[in-house]
Amino acid sequence: MTSKSSIVIAREYLTRVRKKSFIIMTILGPILFAAVIVGPAWFATLEDREVRVVAVIDSSKLFIGQLPETDYLRFEYLEHTTVEELREKFDDTDYYAVLYIAHIIASTPSAVQLMSDRQPGMNVRMHIANALEKELERQKLAAYDIEDIDRILESVKTRVSIRTIIWQDDGGEKESYSELAMIVGYVGGFLIYFFIFLFGAQVMRGVIEEKSSRVVEIIVSSVRPFQLMLGKIVGIGLVGLTQFLLWVILSVVLVVASQQLFFPDIGTPSSETVVAEELFTSGTLQQSQPVTDDAHDRFGEMFASISSINFSVMLLSFLFYFLGGYLLYASLFAAIGSAVDNETDTQQFMLPITIPLIISIIVMMNAIMNPYGPIAFWFSIIPFTSPIIMMARIPFGVPFWEVALSAGLLVVTFIFTTWLAGKIYRTGILMYGKKVNYKELWKWIRYTG
């Protein structure tokens, strides 16, 4: 790297990290991440502490006294009352909703209505549906007149929890968590997509601004166009790395601080923290009862699954594929910026660049569902999609040769695109007032002067 390129890199870096937009985004990003992680649990503790009473009108007489209550959900069974009568005086009552069970429920399971003056919560609806299903099943089985049916049903209740174990090459074993790998893979792939678009577009806009203001004419009098382009790409790339690292550090600090502030009892669960724990269980009100040993086990599993992630591998992989993908696409963005006079003219050249990125996001959903399938494999090898797809696959464990092949092709490709973009940049950056098309770009690439 020459001293002139270093000067350009320093100028691009310092100019952008001093901008208010960079400082604001650096602060807002971690706050948003922390809010996404901690917010749902905190809101759950606020909302679910309200005790709700549901009035039950059971025309079938099959469920009177049979619906299980929780700490936050009660049922009051009404007789000699119609739905119409209760609706007229509903505002004067403290009922949360009215549950009407028709007499034909045994033959028509959909003959149940939950009515209220507001949208009933999903947890309440799921709790009632599960309770009605279980009671109907119990009564249908009872019709077979099997002796001691309740005890038999209770004794056959079984919960199956499948642990996934990976056999390692050294003969050892390692427990894995597919759900967590899917989340980490999706977040990693999406962040790379977001950063490539965000900072690639900054490179293009920066080139257009300097070209339209004619500042570039002064700069290229002392710096070669390729050095200027490379300095701009590297400088903005360093800005992206700085912002990412600050986001990681500040997000960890905020999440840990929020956990200590809002959930200080995590790790030693008590009845007061049961609602927050619902976030990590199935989330039904039926399960918001005093914490059981089973709930403790699930809570421990959650922390065990997080600790199973190799964060150093994930961080290094993210840095490599972000840099590789960014250098590949940023050089193309710089070439587009040099070929046009304003941002409006970029539309015709943006489509071929954005299509691989959009395809990557679509394929990423397939990759996290089937990380070892042929689609995930090939798209994680192709350099224009590999930064996103390979990042989504890595949490599941990818053979070393696949990562090496993908990384090697990515390096070769971004060197080629940088060379190609440099050929366009050196001519386009000083070209004004001319409508450029693909034929003209090809001429610039072939120009050897």
Side-chain angles (χ1 to χ4, degrees), residues 232-393:
K232 184 176 288 295
I233 291 173
V234 174
I236 294 177
L238 291 175
V239 174
L241 281 179
T242 302
Q243 192 157 60
F244 171 72
L245 292 175
L246 287 174
W247 279 5
V248 170
I249 295 170
L250 293 176
S251 295
V252 171
V253 172
L254 281 176
V255 169
V256 173
S258 301
Q259 177 186 325
Q260 294 298 321
L261 181 63
F262 296 110
F263 310 109
D265 295 329
I266 283 183
T268 55
S270 65
S271 59
E272 295 178 353
T273 60
V274 65
V275 179
E277 292 180 18
E278 286 178 11
L279 180 69
F280 309 110
T281 62
S282 64
T284 64
L285 282 176
Q286 187 175 7
Q287 290 170 308
S288 60
Q289 295 171 347
V291 181
T292 63
D293 290 340
D294 184 63
H296 287 185
D297 293 341
R298 293 188 186 185
F299 213 68
E301 286 178 7
M302 183 193 71
F303 284 103
S305 63
I306 292 175
S307 62
S308 70
I309 296 293
N310 191 331
F311 287 101
S312 58
V313 171
M314 291 301 303
L315 187 60
L316 290 175
S317 301
F318 183 90
L319 292 177
F320 174 80
Y321 279 102
F322 162 65
L323 285 176
Y326 167 77
L327 290 173
L328 191 157
Y329 281 99
S331 59
L332 298 177
F333 276 113
I336 293 175
S338 68
V340 299
D341 292 334
N342 55 67
E343 201 165 334
T344 307
D345 296 336
T346 62
Q347 300 303 318
Q348 61 173 321
F349 301 117
M350 286 290 289
L351 190 62
I353 296 178
T354 53
I355 282 179
L357 290 171
I358 294 172
I359 291 176
S360 299
I361 286 294
I362 297 172
V363 174
M364 183 176 69
M365 299 306 297
N366 176 280
I368 60 176
M369 296 299 293
N370 184 15
Y372 304 109
I375 294 177
F377 170 78
W378 285 111
F379 278 89
S380 64
I381 298 299
I382 298 172
F384 288 94
T385 55
S386 64
I388 295 172
I389 306 302
M390 185 57 85
M391 197 63 218
R393 292 184 63 204

Side-chain angles (χ1 to χ4, degrees), residues 56-296:
V56 180
I57 300 177
D58 183 7
S59 296
S60 67
K61 309 297 182 185
L62 297 174
F63 302 95
I64 295 177
Q66 299 300 321
L67 297 177
E69 296 184 343
T70 71
D71 290 343
Y72 307 102
L73 186 61
R74 303 278 190 273
F75 294 101
E76 189 171 319
Y77 300 88
L78 304 179
E79 296 184 13
H80 312 299
T81 303
T82 64
V83 173
E84 289 73 20
E85 291 173 349
L86 193 55
R87 181 175 182 178
E88 289 180 1
K89 58 182 181 182
F90 186 77
D91 292 338
D92 299 328
T93 68
D94 294 327
Y95 294 134
Y96 173 74
V98 176
L99 175 66
Y100 174 71
I101 305 173
H103 66 283
I104 57 173
I105 185 173
S107 58
T108 310
S110 61
V112 180
Q113 295 177 342
L114 185 63
M115 296 159 281
S116 179
D117 57 354
R118 51 190 152 171
Q119 179 66 41
M122 180 67 75
N123 286 346
V124 174
R125 195 171 68 84
M126 290 175 63
H127 175 86
I128 293 173
N130 289 334
L132 293 176
E133 285 175 2
K134 289 181 179 178
E135 180 59 21
L136 266 180
E137 290 172 359
R138 190 191 70 78
Q139 294 193 20
K140 286 180 178 179
L141 284 172
Y144 288 95
D145 197 23
I146 302 174
E147 186 179 351
D148 210 8
I149 183 66
D150 290 338
R151 188 189 61 79
I152 295 173
L153 288 176
E154 189 65 30
S155 65
V156 299
K157 279 184 179 177
T158 307
R159 175 173 174 259
V160 177
S161 178
I162 299 177
R163 297 171 59 201
T164 52
I165 306 295
I166 296 177
W167 290 340
Q168 298 178 311
D169 294 336
D170 58 2
E173 295 180 346
K174 180 182 179 183
E175 186 162 6
S176 65
Y177 300 88
S178 301
E179 295 81 1
L180 186 65
M182 289 173 64
I183 294 172
V184 173
Y186 180 84
V187 172
F190 186 81
L191 280 179
I192 286 187
Y193 168 83
F194 176 74
F195 277 110
I196 287 176
F197 246 126
L198 177 66
F199 294 106
Q202 284 191 23
V203 171
M204 185 182 71
R205 292 196 185 98
V207 172
I208 294 174
E209 286 174 6
E210 290 180 350
K211 183 178 178 181
S212 59
S213 64
R214 304 291 178 110
V215 172
V216 71
E217 295 178 12
I218 301 172
I219 299 176
V220 296
S221 63
S222 55
V223 180
R224 292 171 56 195
F226 184 77
Q227 291 176 319
L228 177 60
M229 185 193 77
L230 199 60
K232 184 176 288 295
I233 291 173
V234 174
I236 294 177
L238 291 175
V239 174
L241 281 179
T242 302
Q243 192 157 60
F244 171 72
L245 292 175
L246 287 174
W247 279 5
V248 170
I249 295 170
L250 293 176
S251 295
V252 171
V253 172
L254 281 176
V255 169
V256 173
S258 301
Q259 177 186 325
Q260 294 298 321
L261 181 63
F262 296 110
F263 310 109
D265 295 329
I266 283 183
T268 55
S270 65
S271 59
E272 295 178 353
T273 60
V274 65
V275 179
E277 292 180 18
E278 286 178 11
L279 180 69
F280 309 110
T281 62
S282 64
T284 64
L285 282 176
Q286 187 175 7
Q287 290 170 308
S288 60
Q289 295 171 347
V291 181
T292 63
D293 290 340
D294 184 63
H296 287 185

Side-chain angles (χ1 to χ4, degrees), residues 396-436:
F396 294 91
V398 180
F400 177 76
W401 71 268
E402 291 186 20
V403 178
L405 177 61
S406 170
L409 288 175
L410 181 60
V411 170
V412 171
T413 305
F414 83 65
I415 291 174
F416 172 73
T417 56
T418 304
W419 169 82
L420 194 70
K423 304 276 280 185
I424 298 173
Y425 189 89
R426 67 177 182 179
T427 305
I429 198 67
L430 297 174
M431 189 73 70
Y432 296 97
K434 186 175 184 179
K435 208 69 174 177
V436 179

